[in-house]
Amino acid sequence: MKYYVVKKGNRPGLYNNWEECKKEILGYKGAVYKSFSDYNDAINYLNDNLEEFNDDVICYIDGSFDIKTNNYSFGGILINKGNKFTFKKAFMADEFSKYRNVAGEIKGAAYIMNYCYKNNILSLTLCYDYIGIEKWYDGSWQAKSDIAILYTDFIKNIKDKLSIKFVKIKSHTNNKYNELADKLAKEALGI
């Protein structure tokens, strides 16, 4: 099987076939892409120095959960023109604790989007590891849970104000920024 990585294109990411990859590079001036026969090589290429290939502000987010307290959190790192800003926030046990680290990542995604909007950042590449971050945003998934409904309601208010490209990052693949976001999320919980 071949894997195709789009570093710079309509939607950077990993694609499982040439037709999907081609859609993301056709008409995109200066597209950067490459094919691989090994999944891990493709992931490493995608993750390594993604910010060098991106014209947008880029942010990595991750969530964490403390099983002892039912508290959850998010951590994030935002890269804007070489400057790096870190974020972390913990949430006390509440009705969203049942979603564990996913609750933190969803709230982190909304927090970063809102931060960009308030700071006149109009274009963002958001790197995540929970697929719902993108699927609820683009409408591929129907929001049924209370946290998904909250997230999609937020999206309705921000979608026309901020251009977002999503990049799925496989968790725990030694991507330095994804690992940092994970570390920040744990720090917010004190674990």
Side-chain angles (χ1 to χ4, degrees):
M1 179 173 189
K2 276 203 158 188
Y3 302 94
Y4 299 86
V5 175
V6 176
K7 278 271 200 170
K8 193 170 185 182
N10 296 316
R11 285 181 14 149
L14 175 67
Y15 298 92
N16 294 324
N17 61 62
W18 172 242
E19 290 305 312
E20 288 179 15
C21 176
K22 192 164 63 172
K23 289 178 194 172
E24 305 307 329
I25 59 173
L26 279 178
Y28 193 97
K29 188 176 179 178
V32 176
Y33 61 98
K34 190 172 180 179
S35 69
F36 295 87
S37 56
D38 182 78
Y39 177 81
N40 289 327
D41 290 343
I43 287 293
N44 289 335
Y45 177 73
L46 174 64
N47 292 342
D48 287 344
N49 302 315
L50 181 62
E51 69 275 12
E52 291 177 16
F53 295 93
N54 203 300
D55 298 329
D56 303 332
V57 172
I58 186 167
C59 184
Y60 291 78
I61 57 165
D62 204 0
S64 192
F65 179 75
D66 186 343
I67 198 165
K68 294 175 189 166
T69 63
N70 283 333
N71 296 342
Y72 58 96
S73 65
F74 75 85
I77 180 162
L78 186 129
I79 304 160
N80 186 0
K81 298 178 181 150
N83 298 310
K84 296 175 177 80
F85 306 91
T86 59
F87 304 88
K88 61 183 175 181
K89 183 172 182 176
F91 302 90
M92 302 306 282
D94 63 15
E95 71 272 23
F96 302 122
S97 293
K98 61 188 170 196
Y99 304 109
R100 302 173 64 106
N101 60 310
V102 169
E105 192 161 342
I106 289 170
K107 286 195 173 187
Y111 179 92
I112 294 300
M113 290 175 200
N114 196 46
Y115 173 88
C116 289
Y117 171 69
K118 287 183 173 181
N119 287 280
N120 296 315
I121 296 169
L122 304 177
S123 186
L124 170 69
T125 296
L126 187 60
C127 301
Y128 62 88
D129 59 23
Y130 176 65
I131 193 71
I133 300 295
E134 180 176 3
K135 296 297 184 183
W136 284 312
Y137 187 90
D138 70 14
S140 298
W141 285 5
Q142 185 179 11
K144 295 178 182 173
S145 66
D146 50 357
I147 197 162
I149 292 166
L150 184 71
Y151 180 60
T152 54
D153 286 347
F154 168 79
I155 288 165
K156 289 174 192 169
N157 292 321
I158 198 117
K159 202 168 191 175
D160 294 334
K161 301 170 185 169
L162 179 65
S163 171
I164 303 176
K165 294 177 193 168
F166 292 92
V167 176
K168 170 87 170 85
I169 302 291
K170 190 174 179 183
S171 60
H172 310 295
T173 54
N174 294 322
N175 175 284
K176 66 181 175 180
Y177 294 125
N178 184 258
E179 294 296 321
L180 178 57
D182 181 59
K183 181 181 175 201
L184 289 165
K186 285 179 172 49
E187 283 177 7
L189 291 174
I191 56 175

